[in-house]
């Protein structure tokens, strides 16, 4: 997985680069909007982390030009609090995300993972976690060589968990992302669906992937 970081604050850029390299991403740095756009257009990256305030060309202009050129690469915009409104209005809600500086690295990691998985899904590529494989075109699921048959709802829930693997998901997060109607009142329907998924996904396999985080929600992780 290759990530391009376009950020003129060299300290911030190298901090992010180091952290992502520890997560085994290949990271390239660019320090201005013109160079950043040129590199981003090459098609060799899976994600761009793009600062808003950049020399030569600002981040939103770079983003617009990429969209105009039909480039569907997911973008994570970095913004100062005061710029957030401008940035959010420029994002493609389906493809992009933003992070307000200063941020915790764990938050950046979570966004990066989610955006890369979303990008893979949009390209129709399989989504993988541990020995779990999801085919986003035909909604088929395997663990290792064993196919797991899921209902449409169960598939959506599992795909959401895989896209956000390693992050604790609250019932509200799950409701927002996997159910069409809002969850005003507390309901145990999510727990019921998680139990269905558990039986099918973890049931007879020694390594459990779906875990309960007491008082918080659920997390997909190995062991
Ligand atoms: Ca900047």
């Amino acid at each position: 997985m290759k990530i391009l970081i376009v950020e003129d604050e060299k300290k911030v850029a190298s901090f992010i680069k180091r952290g992502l390299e520890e997560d085994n991403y290949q990271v390239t740095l660019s320090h201005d909007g013109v160079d950043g756009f040129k590199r981003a257009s090459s098609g060799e990256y899976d994600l761009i982390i793009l600062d808003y305030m950049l020399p030569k060309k600002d981040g939103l202009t770079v983003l617009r030009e990429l969209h105009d050129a039909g480039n569907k690469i997911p973008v994570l915009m970095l913004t100062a609090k005061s710029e957030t409104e401008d940035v959010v209005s420029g994002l493609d809600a389906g493809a992009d995300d933003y992070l307000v500086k200063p941020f915790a690295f764990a938050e950046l990691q979570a966004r990066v993972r989610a955006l890369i998985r979303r990008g893979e899904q949009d390209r129709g590529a399989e989504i993988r976690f541990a020995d779990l494989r999801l085919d986003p075109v035909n909604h088929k699921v395997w663990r290792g060589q064993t196919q797991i048959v899921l209902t449409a709802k169960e598939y959506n829930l599992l795909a959401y968990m895989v896209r956000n693997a390693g992050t604790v998901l609250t019932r509200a997060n799950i409701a927002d992302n996997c159910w069409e109607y809002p969850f005003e009142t507390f309901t145990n329907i999510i727990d019921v669906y998680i139990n269905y998924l558990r039986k099918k996904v973890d049931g007879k396999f020694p390594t459990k992937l779906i875990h309960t985080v007491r008082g918080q929600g659920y997390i997909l992780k190995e062991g």
Side-chain angles (χ1 to χ4, degrees):
M1 286 292 159
K2 288 178 145 189
I3 298 178
L4 174 67
I5 302 173
V6 191
E7 163 65 275
D8 59 315
E9 286 167 73
K10 299 213 161 104
K11 259 178 143 170
V12 178
S14 57
F15 161 74
I16 302 173
K17 181 173 192 276
R18 265 201 315 276
L20 291 175
E21 281 173 347
E22 276 172 28
D23 286 347
N24 295 316
Y25 294 108
Q26 284 183 53
V27 182
T28 304
L29 290 184
S30 171
H31 298 296
D32 71 68
V34 169
D35 177 72
F37 176 76
K38 210 189 294 164
R39 289 177 193 270
S41 305
S42 70
E44 63 175 293
Y45 298 100
D46 299 287
L47 172 77
I48 304 172
I49 298 175
L50 182 61
D51 189 33
Y52 177 47
M53 291 298 282
L54 288 169
K56 298 188 187 172
K57 197 183 272 184
D58 71 80
L60 266 189
T61 306
V62 172
L63 182 63
R64 277 197 203 106
E65 290 180 359
L66 286 171
H67 283 179
D68 289 349
N71 192 321
K72 292 197 171 64
I73 183 165
V75 173
L76 177 63
M77 287 283 292
L78 303 181
T79 162
K81 208 168 201 162
S82 58
E83 304 153 356
T84 304
E85 229 169 276
D86 298 332
V87 166
V88 170
S89 67
L91 299 181
D92 169 351
D96 308 321
D97 200 354
Y98 70 98
L99 203 52
V100 179
K101 294 189 207 177
F103 49 81
F105 190 73
E107 184 61 23
L108 179 93
Q109 279 174 306
R111 304 295 179 91
V112 163
R113 275 198 300 263
L115 281 169
I116 284 183
R117 291 210 176 88
R118 204 180 297 163
E120 287 174 335
Q121 199 176 21
D122 290 347
R123 290 197 303 270
E126 279 186 350
I127 4 183
R128 288 166 181 259
F129 177 75
D131 59 349
L132 199 56
R133 286 186 294 133
L134 280 69
D135 168 354
V137 177
N138 300 305
H139 286 195
K140 286 185 178 166
V141 176
W142 296 266
R143 260 197 92 165
Q145 299 303 312
T146 311
Q147 191 177 345
I148 298 168
V149 179
L150 300 181
T151 65
K153 188 101 263 170
E154 290 165 351
Y155 178 87
N156 286 341
L157 177 57
L158 182 63
Y160 174 65
M161 294 190 83
V162 171
R163 282 200 302 275
N164 294 284
T167 305
V168 178
L169 302 170
T170 64
R171 289 173 181 81
N173 294 148
I174 293 170
D176 281 350
N177 284 279
C178 303
W179 269 264
E180 293 77 22
Y181 46 91
F183 269 46
E184 247 78 74
T185 52
F186 181 77
T187 158
N188 70 352
I189 191 160
I190 289 166
D191 305 272
V192 170
Y193 271 93
I194 292 275
N195 282 333
Y196 291 157
L197 260 191
R198 261 204 179 121
K199 277 193 195 119
K200 293 183 178 182
V201 172
D202 282 340
K204 57 184 174 186
F205 297 92
T207 307
K208 308 301 178 198
L209 300 178
I210 300 170
H211 301 265
T212 304
V213 183
R214 195 160 297 174
Q216 294 187 56
Y218 297 100
I219 186 168
L220 192 78
K221 62 176 179 135
E222 274 183 278

